[in-house]
Amino acid sequence: MKQLNRKNTGLEKLQPIKVVQFGEGNFLRAFVDYAFHKLNKEVDFNAGIAMVQPLKDGMVHLINDQDGLYTLFMNGIKKGEKIQDIELITNIVKAINPYTEFADYLALAKEEELQFIVSNTTEAGIEFIESDTADMQPPVSFPAKLTVLLYERFKHFNGDTSKAVTIIPCELIDYNSETLKKYILQYVDLWKLEDEFKTWVSDSCTYHSTLVDRIVPGYPRAEIEEYNNKLEYQDNLIVAAEPFFLWAIEGGDALKAKLPFDKIDLNVKIVDDIRPFKMIKVRILNGAHTAMVPFSLLYGNKLVMETVNGDFTGKFVKSVIGEISETLDMDKNEITAYSEEVMDRFKNPFIKHALADIALNSISKFKVRVLPSLLGYYNANKKLPVNLTFSLASLIQFYKGTWNDEVLPVKDSPEIVEAFKNAWQLKATDLVVAKILTNTEFWGEDLTQVKGLSEALILALNEIEENGIEKGFANFSKHY
């Protein structure tokens, strides 16, 4: 089977770089890169993408080995029938590691046709690190790296406002573009860069917050032979994703003119306010994902599909979504339709979405995605939601790190892992719960102040320890 590269596929002509993308992972390749690929294919947008590896360790070398080419498999169910669409993505011009190719990274600032900056550097990626300096090659944080690039572009084009860029971050945090812009301006001040640049980066560049929605399991390791058998070439970077696609971007007519998504059949919405889209997606889709992971892993499941198809675990997830839905101040028909769609997406037989993969950084995810629903339900009903509360107990149990003499796939910062280790060394359940709930670094507040929550978690944890997940939940739910 032939190697996947541009020569073997007759795609040697490269498009001009119009997009610089921070992040080279599965999600961006199955989402943003796919969206620009469709624009190129269907309306001759002619936009090449330069990928930048945001962390020291990454995979740009693998992308360059295939000349930026890779295959996207979109697998799902449509009107009751299985579908599989296969697309060779062709718009990645180059991939750069700024830690080893800093000069090449800076050279991107001089690209004549550069118009867009996109990013997905995980929820922790948009941060301000005060020790970053303008002469580091490169600075550590993504906002600092971007500030360096923007400053280089400003200098190279002598402050030409027509060379300012449109910045579209896709990190799953509230007000992602506003936060990114704030940190860029902080670096401008910290590094004492000229006022003209501050005006250029603040007023001439535009910033657009986003909501992204597509489940992307990524490389189909278990079925890779089956996938490659459908191709005429060997692809080491296959990405699997669901067909569902939603990209909501805040912007007006000027952005619609720059990005003609209205001319193609792809669910990209350029709107005045993305908050309604974000609320329903983060709370229901992401919230249900995060809530199910520790619960289902402790039960013995490995996959999302296995979880939602199980009689006991599937009913639990559906009830979690029901509790979350009660807290959303939106059209109930919309919420019901989206909830049903989410359950169908979770059941997608093509997607082997490992629970262990979703477990990464579960504490920060629970704080953002699930805790607001738990507290919102309590405030509205003056009682705790049974399923969400048991999910929090399962999370605490999961972070103990072992279960039935097996090591659990806990993946979080060393500080968080150590904090849970210290809490569990207290042994007595009431002391463990108190230690964890009072840790405001985890939750942003002292959760022992929520009436009855400590007692509920103590009961749930004791039930889990003594009777396991299924019987433990049955016993726990009798009290609520």
Side-chain angles (χ1 to χ4, degrees):
M1 188 174 287
K2 65 184 179 183
Q3 178 71 29
L4 177 57
N5 57 43
R6 290 188 178 273
K7 184 177 180 181
N8 286 341
T9 51
L11 295 165
E12 294 174 90
K13 184 180 178 182
L14 297 175
Q15 292 142 334
I17 293 173
K18 292 184 181 178
V19 183
V20 167
Q21 172 177 300
F22 287 83
E24 78 283 19
N26 290 317
F27 181 81
L28 280 173
R29 289 190 290 122
F31 192 86
V32 170
D33 300 336
Y34 167 69
F36 279 104
H37 172 82
K38 278 184 71 74
L39 280 180
N40 289 345
K41 190 175 175 182
E42 297 178 26
V43 296
D44 196 24
F45 194 60
N46 197 31
I49 296 175
M51 284 181 171
V52 176
Q53 182 175 296
L55 302 175
K56 190 172 291 186
D57 296 318
M59 56 184 291
V60 297
H61 61 289
L62 298 175
I63 293 165
N64 285 325
D65 286 346
Q66 295 189 171
D67 293 338
L69 302 174
Y70 62 92
T71 314
L72 174 63
F73 282 76
M74 291 164 285
N75 311 314
I77 296 177
K78 198 168 188 177
K79 296 180 180 177
E81 294 192 10
K82 290 182 180 180
I83 60 168
Q84 183 175 74
D85 292 328
I86 303 172
E87 191 80 34
L88 177 63
I89 307 300
T90 63
N91 54 349
I92 308 304
V93 174
K94 62 176 67 174
I96 294 170
N97 179 356
Y99 291 87
T100 58
E101 304 162 303
F102 188 72
D104 291 342
Y105 170 65
L106 280 188
L108 294 176
K110 302 172 185 178
E111 290 288 341
E112 285 282 345
E113 297 196 41
L114 177 61
Q115 294 182 45
F116 304 97
I117 305 286
V118 295
S119 65
N120 189 2
T121 56
T122 78
E123 282 139 295
I126 299 182
E127 61 176 341
F128 182 81
I129 299 176
E130 197 164 353
S131 57
D132 275 335
T133 63
D135 57 359
M136 293 172 72
Q137 298 188 9
V140 176
S141 78
F142 156 54
K145 288 185 183 75
L146 179 53
T147 306
V148 168
L149 189 74
L150 293 173
Y151 188 51
E152 186 73 13
R153 186 167 183 79
F154 170 81
K155 290 187 296 181
H156 180 74
F157 291 105
N158 299 311
D160 184 349
T161 56
S162 72
K163 296 300 183 182
V165 292
T166 300
I167 299 171
I168 308 175
C170 298
E171 289 81 1
L172 192 62
I173 63 170
D174 286 333
Y175 310 109
N176 48 21
S177 72
E178 290 94 328
T179 305
L180 179 56
K181 181 178 181 179
K182 180 181 76 172
Y183 290 158
I184 289 170
L185 293 175
Q186 281 183 231
Y187 282 118
V188 173
D189 291 338
L190 178 66
W191 298 343
K192 296 182 171 54
L193 303 178
E194 52 262 48
D195 289 342
E196 291 82 3
F197 173 60
K198 188 172 186 177
T199 300
W200 184 86
V201 82
S202 177
D203 299 344
S204 300
C205 295
T206 61
Y207 300 78
H208 304 271
S209 287
T210 61
L211 182 280
V212 295
D213 192 356
R214 174 173 253 189
I215 297 172
V216 180
Y219 186 72
R221 192 172 306 279
E223 305 89 19
I224 192 60
E225 189 174 336
E226 175 189 337
Y227 276 66
N228 265 311
N229 284 340
K230 296 183 179 182
L231 305 175
E232 297 178 351
Y233 47 78
Q234 177 73 29
D235 188 349
N236 298 316
L237 290 170
I238 288 172
V239 181
E242 66 171 341
F244 183 91
F245 185 104
L246 169 63
W247 193 4
I249 310 172
E250 281 189 350
D253 291 340
L255 184 62
K256 290 176 184 177
K258 290 179 186 176
L259 290 172
F261 282 112
D262 59 318
K263 293 181 170 60
I264 68 172
D265 182 21
L266 190 64
N267 193 18
V268 180
K269 300 178 184 294
I270 297 176
V271 295
D272 293 334
D273 186 359
I274 63 164
R275 283 176 295 179
F277 297 97
K278 187 175 183 68
M279 177 71 75
I280 194 170
K281 187 261 182 177
V282 171
R283 293 287 185 90
I284 293 181
L285 178 74
N286 299 118
H289 253 161
T290 299
M292 81 168 70
V293 167
F295 165 85
S296 193
L297 282 168
L298 292 171
Y299 181 73
N301 291 326
K302 303 294 183 187
L303 302 173
V304 170
M305 181 181 65
E306 182 184 9
T307 303
V308 294
N309 284 332
D311 291 340
F312 167 62
T313 51
K315 183 179 178 183
F316 181 88
V317 173
K318 194 170 182 180
S319 298
V320 160
I321 291 175
E323 290 174 348
I324 293 168
S325 298
E326 283 191 45
T327 70
L328 296 174
D329 185 19
M330 297 172 65
D331 182 270
K332 296 304 177 188
N333 291 328
E334 269 190 46
I335 292 172
T336 299
Y338 186 79
S339 299
E340 290 173 353
E341 192 167 46
V342 163
M343 287 298 288
D344 285 342
R345 292 165 68 190
F346 286 166
K347 292 175 181 177
N348 186 339
F350 286 102
I351 292 182
K352 308 295 191 291
H353 207 168
L355 296 166
D357 291 341
I358 311 171
L360 177 67
N361 298 330
S362 282
I363 297 303
S364 61
K365 287 177 178 175
F366 197 96
K367 174 189 173 185
V368 171
R369 302 172 174 185
V370 187
L371 187 59
S373 297
L374 191 158
L375 298 178
Y377 186 100
Y378 173 80
N379 291 332
N381 298 291
K382 303 308 175 195
K383 64 178 183 178
L384 293 167
V386 178
N387 297 273
L388 289 171
T389 302
F390 197 80
S391 173
L392 177 54
S394 300
L395 180 71
I396 294 170
Q397 183 71 48
F398 177 71
Y399 268 72
K400 188 176 183 179
T402 57
W403 177 248
N404 292 336
D405 298 322
E406 291 186 9
V407 176
L408 294 167
V410 175
K411 292 178 281 189
D412 217 314
S413 71
E415 295 79 13
I416 288 176
V417 172
E418 185 67 19
F420 270 92
K421 180 182 176 183
N422 292 337
W424 275 105
Q425 284 175 348
L426 298 172
K427 295 186 178 179
T429 310
D430 58 337
L431 298 179
V432 174
V433 168
K435 184 78 170 175
I436 290 167
L437 292 194
T438 54
N439 191 324
T440 55
E441 291 293 316
F442 291 170
W443 320 114
E445 60 184 285
D446 179 357
L447 291 183
T448 61
Q449 301 304 305
V450 180
K451 187 176 179 181
L453 182 58
S454 295
E455 294 79 4
L457 292 173
I458 291 167
L459 173 62
L461 284 165
N462 286 336
E463 283 292 345
I464 291 170
E465 193 71 37
E466 291 171 23
N467 298 304
I469 290 293
E470 185 166 7
K471 188 177 178 184
F473 177 71
N475 292 341
F476 171 77
S477 60
K478 290 174 185 175
H479 294 266
Y480 292 92

